[in-house]
Amino acid sequence: MQHHIDMSSVVKVFKSLSGLDATQDKCAVICKSAANTISRLIKPDCDVVAEMPRITFAAAALAYYRFTLTDEINGVTGFSAGDISIDCSNGGSSAAKVLYEQAMSDISDLLIEKRFAFRRV
């Protein structure tokens, strides 16, 4: 089951994490993809409305992590948005990954259990 995640909140949080104008097409695509990924991981019986702040932060953190990875793949070492300049050459995706992992840990109680174990027959 896929839950509806408030995209405007995801974009708002992504914008605050990245310092970018989140109306850019690339940002919108990454935010939508991240929200869809997170929504598929949430338990069917989850009260999504009550948990929306935590869920949207996790989706935005995933979007930000993906954004930093795409910039590294494309060879971008920094960017400017208005008066703000950010240098990403010092491991931006590493920090974004930690942020994403912490956000996922924060919502772990809302996620479908995906663990398994090999047992002998």
Side-chain angles (χ1 to χ4, degrees), residues 11-119:
V11 170
K12 183 178 178 181
V13 174
F14 174 83
K15 186 176 176 179
S16 71
L17 293 174
S18 67
L20 294 176
D21 178 9
T23 59
Q24 297 172 349
D25 289 341
K26 180 179 178 181
C27 299
V29 168
I30 290 174
C31 286
K32 179 70 174 166
S33 173
N36 286 338
T37 298
I38 298 298
S39 71
R40 287 191 305 272
L41 300 175
I42 298 172
K43 293 177 183 175
D45 60 343
C46 176
D47 183 0
V48 175
V49 174
E51 301 296 344
M52 192 60 69
R54 292 195 301 157
I55 293 169
T56 56
F57 186 84
L62 175 57
Y64 182 59
Y65 177 47
R66 288 178 175 175
F67 178 80
T68 60
L69 288 175
T70 59
D71 278 351
E72 284 182 11
I73 289 169
N74 294 327
V76 175
T77 59
F79 57 86
S80 295
D83 294 336
I84 300 171
S85 295
I86 298 178
D87 177 17
C88 299
S89 61
N90 59 355
S93 67
S94 298
K97 182 178 181 182
V98 170
L99 181 69
Y100 163 64
E101 289 172 345
Q102 288 178 344
M104 291 303 287
S105 177
D106 288 346
I107 64 166
S108 63
D109 59 314
L110 308 177
L111 303 178
I112 298 169
E113 190 70 36
K114 296 239 179 192
R115 297 182 194 164
F116 67 95
F118 290 106
R119 297 187 185 255

